């Protein structure tokens, strides 16, 4: 299957925060999972550079907008590298390829009569780069940021979104996996059914930043209109549109589940297959992370304290895939110690070491009575990933880690003194368990999977559960004991 998976493209108006790290890790795991199963995957991420708020933040920093954006994008890319994010393309919306594609879609919609000139009055949040209706913000405060909305009155160009309201409701209702999970699907249906849509204002006065409207240099294209097009720009040339899963946070659901499908539908372009909405990572106190509350966590600080895979594991397993969850450093350290270090790391260490001590580093499956069948595990994991429940997928995998541990504890290979055949059988089964588990784990914890497989003489590739030979080498300590040194709360 050819399949593409995307993150939202981030606003580079500061350093990346924990929410950005979370979304990239989640998306990366889906990309790696589908690659592991032998699919051809295109993983896209990038930066959203045309918003007016970037101009404002750049002014405050003393840099030109271009310098400011370039500097921050480099930090986002550095974070991706440190987190082992296996993206195939990083699109920046200041790039020529994106500007060209945006102009093409603008022209298609204009030629079809879907764009018209008019004036508008509405309440705007610069942080969201979005208008809010009276129903959404009766107190004229942004429901996301709780800051006063600005009354904006402008002339400009509009997209006839309102005429597609019934169509989009029908599309979401008749495609149950188009918006996942159900909580988000229901939220969007209820919003769509609660008030008539207004046409979308898709330009701003040109103040020197953004993509100019073709043939109308006094205007730039509204940042959300151009930003959404990034997915199509980058995926199409690689032959990956439209079998696409968009991974986004709740705060930008409306744009992905309503505006984007309408833009595509109006332009007669095929729709992506899914919008999967993850929850928000909250501060340890359960509140939204914010500079003013001083409760934010810097992902760079966390990975100075713990192995990157402990960070990935914690975010993937401890934060439910379908709701918000708090980031608690002590919980991360606990899981690092017990689930990763004791359950998984020690299993690898003791089976490989014991084998290397008693028999040669080469071990083959001849005359072995097989102890494990991993087919049901793989079927369960596939189903859970399809339901976009990655936290439960890891939970399920850990049942198997525990089962292999139990097998080794019950069989006590260290006390099988005389019988070399039995010793070899127990060890082989243990290694086979570690092999399959590590292959499956490599989708979520790529560094760990690769290191564990290397100590069995194998390389991560497409999932292969046939019984083969193992050439053992000394395993590394994957999850060393950690005493918390500094407080990563910033
Ligand atoms: O919204 N926990 O960019 P962005 C989890 N440029 N996810 C979070 C989060 C948190 N605490 N905070 C933010 C934008 N996110 C637009 C997207 S796409 C065409 C344009 C998620 O930098 C957020 O929900 O504000 C979004 O999916 C992503 O981070 C980028 O947010």
């Amino acid at each position: 299957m050819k399949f593409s998976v995307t993150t939202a493209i981030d606003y580079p108006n500061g350093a990346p925060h924990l929410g950005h790290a979370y979304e990239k890790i989640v998306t990366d795991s889906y990309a790696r999972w589908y690659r592991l199963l032998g699919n051809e995957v295109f993983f896209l991420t990038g930066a959203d550079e045309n918003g007016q708020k970037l101009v404002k933040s750049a002014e405050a920093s003393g840099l030109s907008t271009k310098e400011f954006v370039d500097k921050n994008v480099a930090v986002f890319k550095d974070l991706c590298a440190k987190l082992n994010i296996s993206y195939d393309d990083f699109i920046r919306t200041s790039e020529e390829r994106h500007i060209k594609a945006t102009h093409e879609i603008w022209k298609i919609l204009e030629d079809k009569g879907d764009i018209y000139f008019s004036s508008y009055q509405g309440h705007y949040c610069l942080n969201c780069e979005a208008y809010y209706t009276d129903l959404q913000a009766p107190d004229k405060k942004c429901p996301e940021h709780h800051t006063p909305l600005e009354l904006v009155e402008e002339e400009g160009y509009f997209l006839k979104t309102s005429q597609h309201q019934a169509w989009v409701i029908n599309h979401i209702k008749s495609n149950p996996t188009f918006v996942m999970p159900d909580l988000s699907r229901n939220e969007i249906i209820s919003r769509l059914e609660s008030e008539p849509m207004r046409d979308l204002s898709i330009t701003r006065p040109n103040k020197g930043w953004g993509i100019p409207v073709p043939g109308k240099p006094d205007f730039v294209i509204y940042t959300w209109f151009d930003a959404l097009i990034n997915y199509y720009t980058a995926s199409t040339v690689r032959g990956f549109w439209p079998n696409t899963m968009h991974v986004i946070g709740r705060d930008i659901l409306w744009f992905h589940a309503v505006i984007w499908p309408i833009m595509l539908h109006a332009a007669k372009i095929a729709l992506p297959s899914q919008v999967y909405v993850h929850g928000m990572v909250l501060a340890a106190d359960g509140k939204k992370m914010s500079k003013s509350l001083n409760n934010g966590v810097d992902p760079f600080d966390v990975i100075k304290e713990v192995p990157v895979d402990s960070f990935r594991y914690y975010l993937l397993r401890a934060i439910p895939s379908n709701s918000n969850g708090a980031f608690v450093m002590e919980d991360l350290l606990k899981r690092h110690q017990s689930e990763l270090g004791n359950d998984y790391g020690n299993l690898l260490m003791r089976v490989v070491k014991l084998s290397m001590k008693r028999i040669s580093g080469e071990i083959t499956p001849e005359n072995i009575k097989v102890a494990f069948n991993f087919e049901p595990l793989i079927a369960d994991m596939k189903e859970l990933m399809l339901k976009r429940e990655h936290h439960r997928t890891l939970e399920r995998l850990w049942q198997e880690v525990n089962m292999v541990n139990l097998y080794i504890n019950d069989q006590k290979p260290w006390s099988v003194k005389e019988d070399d055949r039995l010793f070899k059988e127990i060890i082989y089964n243990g290694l086979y368990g570690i092999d399959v588990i590590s292959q499956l784990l490599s989708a979520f914890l790529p560094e760990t999977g690769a290191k564990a497989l290397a100590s069995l003489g194998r390389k991560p590739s497409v999932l292969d559960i046939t019984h083969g030979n193992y050439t053992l080498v000394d395993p590394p300590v994957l999850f060393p004991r950690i005493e918390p040194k500094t407080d990563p709360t910033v």
Side-chain angles (χ1 to χ4, degrees):
M1 184 178 73
K2 260 185 132 174
F3 174 76
S4 65
V5 60
T6 68
T7 67
I9 50 171
D10 306 319
Y11 288 126
N13 66 329
H17 53 62
L18 190 61
H20 293 129
Y22 176 66
E23 186 170 293
K24 299 223 189 278
I25 290 169
V26 166
T27 314
D28 184 58
S29 300
Y30 283 94
R32 289 179 185 273
W33 174 253
Y34 286 105
R35 285 189 202 117
L36 183 72
L37 298 182
N39 300 288
E40 212 184 320
V41 175
F42 175 64
F43 173 10
L44 175 68
T45 191
D48 184 357
E49 304 187 8
N50 297 315
Q52 301 304 307
K53 74 172 174 185
L54 292 165
V55 178
K56 213 170 159 187
S57 306
E59 272 165 15
S61 78
L63 296 173
S64 75
T65 314
K66 176 83 180 109
E67 286 166 341
F68 177 76
V69 166
D70 285 350
K71 186 178 131 238
N72 286 329
V73 167
V75 186
F76 274 86
K77 284 190 169 175
D78 181 38
L79 182 67
C80 284
K82 291 200 163 81
L83 298 177
N84 283 322
I85 304 302
S86 62
Y87 63 75
D88 298 295
D89 193 1
F90 189 106
I91 188 166
R92 298 182 58 177
T93 56
S94 55
E95 286 169 349
E96 198 45 48
R97 58 173 169 157
H98 176 74
I99 297 168
K100 189 166 163 272
T102 302
H103 281 168
E104 279 165 13
I105 292 189
W106 178 284
K107 286 296 289 173
I108 294 173
L109 293 170
E110 192 175 43
D111 291 349
K112 285 179 69 265
D114 279 308
I115 293 177
Y116 63 94
F117 190 78
S118 184
S119 63
Y120 190 83
Q121 193 197 63
H123 289 93
Y124 197 71
C125 170
L126 186 66
N127 248 319
C128 299
E129 298 273 14
Y131 283 101
Y132 283 98
T133 65
D134 290 347
L135 192 70
Q136 293 171 286
D139 55 357
K140 310 283 180 284
K141 283 199 174 145
C142 170
E144 284 295 325
H145 298 96
H146 310 290
T147 44
L149 296 171
E150 188 191 346
L151 180 66
V152 176
E153 269 185 283
E154 268 170 15
E155 284 197 318
Y157 291 85
F158 288 78
L159 182 67
K160 291 183 183 168
T161 39
S162 60
Q163 66 185 8
H164 300 295
Q165 183 162 4
W167 168 83
V168 82
I169 293 174
N170 181 53
H171 181 77
I172 296 170
K173 282 189 170 173
S174 52
N175 294 280
T177 58
F178 181 64
V179 180
M180 284 180 81
D182 279 350
L183 186 76
S184 298
R185 184 166 173 267
N186 295 338
E187 182 190 314
I188 209 73
I189 292 173
S190 112
R191 180 168 163 197
L192 273 165
E193 288 181 339
S194 66
E195 60 180 333
M197 279 178 78
R198 287 179 80 166
D199 286 344
L200 184 71
S201 159
I202 53 170
T203 58
R204 294 286 176 273
N206 188 350
K207 293 182 186 154
W209 187 256
I211 301 180
V213 174
K216 284 130 191 143
D218 291 346
F219 293 94
V220 290
I221 295 174
Y222 170 48
T223 186
W224 269 104
F225 182 94
D226 92 72
L228 290 160
I229 293 171
N230 94 84
Y231 302 130
Y232 180 70
T233 313
S235 306
T236 297
V237 289
R238 303 277 196 112
F240 279 90
W241 191 263
N243 192 9
T244 300
M245 165 190 180
H246 294 314
V247 179
I248 56 154
R250 284 182 169 175
D251 53 334
I252 56 173
L253 176 58
W254 176 258
F255 287 101
H256 284 79
V258 177
I259 302 297
W260 180 221
I262 287 180
M263 283 169 64
L264 292 166
H265 176 67
K268 301 217 172 335
I269 297 172
L271 263 55
S273 42
Q274 187 172 88
V275 177
Y276 157 59
V277 187
H278 60 74
M280 296 310 227
V281 185
L282 306 172
D285 55 13
K287 293 190 178 140
K288 195 172 165 171
M289 290 188 189
S290 80
K291 285 210 175 89
S292 55
L293 290 175
N294 198 27
N295 61 357
V297 173
D298 181 343
F300 286 104
D301 286 346
V302 180
I303 53 176
K304 276 183 209 141
E305 298 272 332
V306 301
V308 62
D309 277 352
S310 301
F311 182 48
R312 289 180 63 118
Y313 179 79
Y314 175 75
L315 289 174
L316 292 166
R317 180 157 179 191
I319 312 260
S321 66
N322 50 5
S323 67
N324 298 345
F327 180 89
V328 182
M329 190 63 187
E330 298 79 64
D331 290 350
L332 190 165
L333 290 172
K334 262 189 220 148
R335 287 187 190 262
H336 162 91
Q337 203 66 51
S338 61
E339 287 156 27
L340 293 171
N342 297 347
D343 299 349
Y344 174 78
N346 281 352
L347 173 67
L348 172 78
M349 191 61 86
R350 62 194 184 132
V351 177
V352 175
K353 287 245 185 211
L354 188 61
S355 173
M356 290 177 80
K357 208 166 105 193
R358 286 272 298 271
I359 44 181
S360 78
E362 292 286 332
I363 176 157
T364 60
E366 273 111 55
N367 306 318
I368 298 284
K369 207 169 99 217
V370 172
F372 306 120
N373 169 18
F374 289 110
E375 301 278 1
L377 164 73
I378 294 165
D380 288 352
M381 288 179 76
K382 279 185 183 167
E383 197 189 322
L384 289 166
M385 286 300 271
L386 199 60
K387 285 161 85 181
R388 310 303 177 220
E389 295 188 3
H390 47 265
H391 65 300
R392 290 186 58 210
T393 311
L394 278 173
E395 215 172 280
R396 177 67 184 86
L397 182 59
W398 243 251
Q399 287 175 4
E400 233 71 5
V401 173
N402 294 334
M403 186 192 70
V404 178
N405 266 317
L406 216 65
Y407 168 83
I408 297 291
N409 292 346
D410 283 351
Q411 300 292 319
K412 300 186 179 41
W414 50 89
S415 62
V416 180
K417 290 250 159 31
E418 309 303 325
D419 188 344
D420 274 354
R421 196 203 55 79
L422 183 59
F423 178 81
K424 197 185 139 199
E425 180 167 306
I426 302 167
I427 290 294
Y428 185 88
N429 280 319
L431 291 173
Y432 178 67
I434 292 167
D435 175 11
V436 176
I437 287 167
S438 302
Q439 289 188 56
L440 293 165
L441 190 59
S442 68
F444 308 90
L445 314 185
E447 202 172 293
T448 301
K451 283 183 180 166
L453 291 171
S455 62
L456 309 184
R458 300 203 54 173
K459 273 202 181 107
S461 160
V462 173
L463 182 64
D464 173 10
I465 60 167
T466 54
H467 287 84
N469 299 349
Y470 297 116
T471 308
L472 304 183
V473 280
D474 248 339
V477 178
L478 294 172
F479 302 100
R481 242 196 131 69
I482 299 172
E483 302 307 331
K485 287 182 208 88
T486 55
D487 183 356
T489 306
V490 287

